[in-house]
Amino acid sequence: MSDSSTLAAQYLDASIALLERVRDEEGANIAAAGTLLADTVAAGGRLFAFGAGHSSLAAQDVVYRAGSLALMNLLAVPGAVGVDVMPATLGSALERVDGLATAVLGASPARAGDALVIISLSGRNALPVEMAMTARARGLKVIGVTSLTYATGPDAPTSRHGSGTFLRDHCDVVLDSKIAVGDAELTYEGVDAPFASASTITTSALMQSTLATCAAVLADRGVQPPLLRSGNVDGGLAWNAQVFDDYRDRIFYQH
C-alpha cells in the first residue's frame, strides 16, 4: 500500500510534469494562438472564450480578470456553465444536445473577424464540436484547448457529434492540455476509482500563456495591450474605467 502522506506530493509532481510537457511541447502552438488573438485585437475584432461544465473554469478565469485582456468575453451557454444548474447532471446532458451551439452563437454578438477560444477536455461532445464548426462557418477564428489523447490515444472514446469528429478537427490552432483519458492522476490501494484531476491546471496555464503571448505580440507592434489591473491596488479602478471606455464597443460583460 502506498503511504497516504505522499499522495499530495505525488499529485503535485504529476501536475508539474504535465506543466513541463505543456511548456516543452506546446510552445509553437501557444505562440500561434497568442498571435492569432493579437491579430484579432489589432484588426478591431472581439475575443470570446467558451467552455462547458468544468472546462468553463479556465474560460471564466480570463474574463474580467486582473492581468487579463479586457476584451476577452465569456460566451455562455445557459445551463452549461460550470455546475450552476440543478441537477448538476443537466449541464452534462446539454453538452450532448444538437443545435444548441448554433442557437447560442446566433444570439451572441460574435461576428466574422472575431476570435473564439473553445475549451473542452474531451472535445467529443456535440456542443463544443458544433460551436467550432458554426463559428468558423461564420468567419470567426477558432482556438481549441483540448486533450488530443481523447481523439487519438489508445483509450480514445468515440465522438458524440453526428459528424464523428472532435473539437480539434475544426480549429485554426489547437492547444493540447496533455491530460489522459479520465482526468485522474492518482490511484490508491483500496480506492476503486482513480482520482485527483489536473485538467484545470494545465488548461488554465495554456490560457494564461496564450494571453501573455498576445500581450507581448501587441506590444512589439507598438500597440498597448488592453489589460485590466486589480481593483485592489491604488489606481486600478481608474485604469480599468479608462480601458472600459476606450474599448466599450468590444466588451460585453458590462452591458
Side-chain angles (χ1 to χ4, degrees), residues 9-252:
Q10 289 177 21
Y11 175 76
L12 292 171
D13 287 344
S15 299
I16 291 168
L18 286 166
L19 288 172
E20 289 177 337
R21 286 190 62 199
V22 167
R23 179 197 63 200
D24 297 341
E25 300 172 15
E26 292 301 303
N29 293 326
I30 292 170
T35 301
L36 187 156
L37 294 184
D39 290 343
T40 303
V41 172
R46 292 84 60 82
L47 308 179
F48 297 88
F50 164 77
H54 287 93
S55 289
S56 179
L57 295 174
Q60 295 179 58
D61 188 50
V62 296
V63 176
Y64 185 48
R65 177 70 185 267
S68 190
L69 290 171
L71 306 191
M72 186 63 75
N73 301 278
L74 185 67
L75 185 62
V77 176
V81 180
V83 289
D84 61 335
V85 294
M86 291 294 289
T89 51
L90 175 60
S92 298
L94 290 173
E95 292 185 59
R96 301 190 289 271
V97 174
D98 292 329
L100 183 56
T102 299
V104 168
L105 273 174
S108 78
R111 65 189 184 192
D114 294 342
L116 171 60
V117 182
I118 300 176
I119 305 168
S120 174
L121 175 60
S122 71
R124 69 183 296 220
N125 287 311
L127 185 55
V129 175
E130 181 185 327
M131 186 75 74
M133 294 175 69
T134 304
R136 293 185 85 190
R138 295 188 177 200
L140 281 77
K141 295 293 186 181
V142 175
I143 298 169
V145 185
T146 187
S147 172
L148 294 183
T149 304
Y150 276 83
T152 61
D155 299 320
T158 58
S159 170
R160 287 177 171 149
H161 189 265
S163 66
T165 59
F166 286 75
L167 169 61
R168 63 146 193 175
D169 299 313
H170 307 284
C171 299
D172 296 281
V173 180
V174 175
L175 301 177
D176 183 5
S177 64
K178 311 299 180 183
I179 298 297
V181 173
D183 192 14
E185 295 299 317
L186 300 180
T187 58
Y188 193 72
E189 185 176 343
V191 179
D192 291 340
F195 55 96
S197 304
S199 59
T200 303
I201 293 173
T202 58
T203 300
S204 290
L206 283 165
M207 292 293 290
Q208 294 292 349
S209 298
T210 296
L211 294 191
T213 301
C214 173
V217 171
L218 287 171
D220 289 344
R221 296 177 181 178
V223 178
Q224 186 62 225
L227 297 169
L228 294 175
R229 291 187 173 183
S230 172
N232 295 312
V233 299
D234 291 343
L237 293 177
W239 171 281
N240 292 343
Q242 186 61 58
V243 173
F244 291 148
D245 186 59
D246 291 344
Y247 292 92
R248 57 187 176 276
D249 60 330
R250 293 195 260 174
I251 297 174
F252 302 101

